[in-house]
Amino acid sequence: MSDALDRLDLLDLDDDLDGDDRLLRDTVRKFADDRLRPNIRQWFEDGTLPARELAQEFGALGVLGMHLEGYGCAGAKASQYGLACAEIEAVDSGLRSLVSVQGSLAMFCIWKYGSEDQKQQWLPGMAKGELLGCFGLTEPDAGSDPAGMRTRAVRDGDDWVLNGSKMWITNGSLADVAVVWARTDDGVRGFLVEKGTKGFTTQDVHHKISLRASVTSELVLDDVRVPESSRLPEGLGLKAPLGALSEARYGIVWGVTGAARDALASALDYAGERTQFDKPIAGFQLTQKKFADLAVALQHTQLTAARIGALKDAGRVRPHHISFGKFSNVRTALEICREARSILGGSGITTEYPVLRHAVNLETVYTYEGTHEVHTLVLGSKLTGLDAFR
Ligand code: FAD
């Protein structure tokens, strides 16, 4: 596989990694190859994941909340976090989802909007993967338009009482703490709801054909009483969860380059070995056209990720940069995986090869963290100055 990876790097982008970046990338790649890749097919087929065990291993690897400072987090560069996301998603988008929901959504919300006590209580254990978090924004009737949320938090003395439900929540039933966004008389606010709190239950979503190596749950809040100290004091208004989503979308911009790279490397290896009409199918012009198109498209996604990483490291990243990356890279990665699948012929429709698994996973990535259409509208608004959301 590494020979295929070398061949796919037509622009020698690998040469731009400095020593630290390369060490980090190689360490995560080795963990992915030794621990994740040999098991992913089974996890995906069974629709189960040893998530707690894996979380602790990701914690030991240092990737949970790795771009955050303090509280046991590594304080790495945004571009280094991106490299890690790409290596993990090269195995499976579900595994990258586990890492990004923990670090970029749940931990980020506590780190950015939480009180000092909340940070001390949760972040060190979450960085180690001993404690898991989830992020509850989406509801059955409020997806692309989170302003339509119905979950309500009402003040009652020193407490808040929460009622409502959240849908499609990654790590939902696993989480020791759920970051729940709810409507109050003063606007949207964030609350930390601990597992086991009376009235708080979860139910997993089954029968998924995408992101099977990931836990997806519904959260139900039925008169859930939490103290004022559970409210995120700095999480004021819808801009707070949207800020966290920007962080997670950034990881996606990089992550999907890994999924596309893995699919294409797999097709390149296969085409070199598969013989038809007395020669390897890699030797046919039609196959080579596919490889040329797909390899160039892959490097465009990697260049886009590197540019947005550089903007983020320089503190200059803006929401439309992130939308550019999510819009462009997820669409391209999905197209690469679909076309790469065709190179494997019939073999491409089984889980023996990762290609179609990556493609069906990317159907989720196309939809979550702001659908492709929503990011289209963000770019349209930036270009024209006119909002077309309603
Ligand atoms: P809808 O909003 O109903 O959209 C349906 C279609 O209508 C889409 O194509 C959409 O683009 C289109 N549409 C909507 N509005 C417009 C418009 N104005 N103009 C043009 N087209 C429009 N959410 C969380 O809060 N936390 C999580 O951890 C999480 N994990 C997820 C994991 C999985 C596996 C999945 C599938 C989803 C997850 N989500 C999570 C939810 C995800 O973010 C939503 O599914 C997504 O925001 C879309 O919402 P929806 O499914 O309700 O679709």
Side-chain angles (χ1 to χ4, degrees):
M1 182 67 91
S2 67
D3 177 46
L5 294 191
D6 286 346
R7 280 184 279 153
L8 286 172
D9 188 15
L10 293 167
L11 291 175
D12 299 332
L13 296 185
D14 216 52
D15 294 352
D16 288 350
L17 295 181
D18 68 22
D20 287 349
D21 292 355
R22 187 176 303 279
L23 178 63
L24 178 119
R25 196 274 313 269
D26 290 348
T27 305
V28 180
R29 185 175 288 180
K30 182 164 172 19
F31 175 78
D33 285 342
D34 293 350
R35 171 66 174 123
L36 306 177
R37 207 177 287 283
N39 294 303
I40 188 58
R41 184 177 167 193
Q42 199 64 49
W43 295 334
F44 183 90
E45 283 183 7
D46 294 348
T48 58
L49 197 66
R52 289 226 152 247
E53 209 177 305
L54 284 177
Q56 294 195 20
E57 293 174 48
F58 279 129
L61 190 64
V63 296
L64 300 178
M66 67 181 275
H67 56 312
L68 306 178
E69 291 273 358
Y71 308 97
C73 304
K77 288 190 296 181
S79 47
Q80 292 178 326
Y81 173 54
L83 289 169
C85 286
E87 293 310 318
I88 296 166
E89 195 151 355
V91 181
D92 195 88
S93 301
L95 299 172
R96 197 267 308 138
S97 298
L98 192 162
V99 169
S100 29
V101 167
Q102 174 84 347
S104 294
L105 290 176
M107 290 176 73
F108 178 82
C109 284
I110 298 170
W111 182 83
K112 180 87 178 168
Y113 309 126
S115 66
E116 188 54 34
D117 282 352
Q118 290 167 341
K119 293 178 197 184
Q120 298 286 359
Q121 180 183 355
W122 293 106
L123 292 178
M126 291 175 85
K128 287 189 191 134
E130 287 165 0
L131 298 171
L132 277 172
C134 69
F135 173 89
L137 179 65
T138 306
E139 300 187 356
D141 295 322
S144 299
D145 182 16
M149 76 170 68
R150 293 190 186 159
T151 299
R152 233 188 131 64
V154 176
R155 192 73 199 245
D156 184 26
D158 290 340
D159 296 338
W160 290 88
V161 179
L162 278 74
N163 277 288
S165 66
K166 297 288 172 183
M167 193 58 197
W168 305 114
I169 306 306
T170 303
N171 299 349
S173 63
L174 297 168
D176 300 285
V177 61
V179 175
V180 173
W181 297 95
R183 181 181 295 290
T184 73
D185 286 345
D186 295 325
V188 170
R189 296 290 182 267
F191 297 87
L192 300 181
V193 181
E194 289 188 41
K195 192 181 190 122
T197 305
K198 191 162 174 278
F200 177 46
T201 52
T202 64
Q203 200 163 342
D204 286 347
V205 176
H206 296 292
H207 310 295
K208 289 184 297 176
I209 51 178
S210 171
L211 225 67
R212 289 181 56 74
S214 172
V215 173
T216 313
S217 319
E218 180 182 11
L219 312 182
V220 179
L221 302 130
D222 185 9
D223 280 336
V224 172
R225 183 174 284 273
V226 295
E228 161 65 4
S229 60
S230 291
R231 188 174 64 79
L232 294 170
E234 306 301 328
L236 308 175
L238 205 51
K239 67 178 190 317
L242 295 182
L245 284 170
S246 231
E247 292 294 307
R249 288 164 182 163
Y250 169 76
I252 290 174
V253 170
W254 283 83
V256 297
T257 69
R261 186 193 74 199
D262 189 61
L264 197 45
S266 182
L268 203 51
D269 283 342
Y270 183 89
E273 286 161 15
R274 173 73 176 168
T275 300
Q276 289 291 287
F277 300 99
D278 306 320
K279 68 176 189 183
I281 59 170
F284 296 117
Q285 290 184 357
L286 287 178
T287 311
Q288 291 195 3
K289 164 138 174 52
K290 288 181 186 178
F291 280 128
D293 285 341
L294 299 184
V296 166
L298 173 67
Q299 297 248 274
H300 283 154
T301 66
Q302 292 165 330
L303 285 166
T304 297
R307 170 65 182 158
I308 295 172
L311 286 169
K312 192 156 165 56
D313 278 329
R316 286 167 49 213
V317 80
R318 311 244 323 265
H320 73 272
H321 297 137
I322 302 283
S323 283
F324 181 116
K326 210 252 174 195
F327 170 91
S328 171
N329 277 12
V330 180
R331 177 178 66 181
T332 305
L334 189 50
E335 286 166 1
I336 289 172
C337 293
R338 284 177 183 151
E339 186 79 326
R341 204 289 309 156
S342 75
I343 296 171
L344 279 81
S347 299
I349 71 151
T350 71
T351 56
E352 189 182 345
Y353 296 91
V355 187
L356 192 57
R357 174 169 52 75
H358 283 309
V360 295
N361 281 339
L362 289 173
E363 293 290 346
T364 288
V365 184
Y366 194 76
T367 285
Y368 74 10
E369 310 274 355
T371 66
H372 185 73
E373 294 76 11
V374 162
H375 291 290
T376 311
L377 297 178
V378 173
L379 294 178
S381 168
K382 174 73 185 163
L383 290 165
T384 65
L386 298 171
D387 262 349
F389 285 92
R390 358 188 126 254

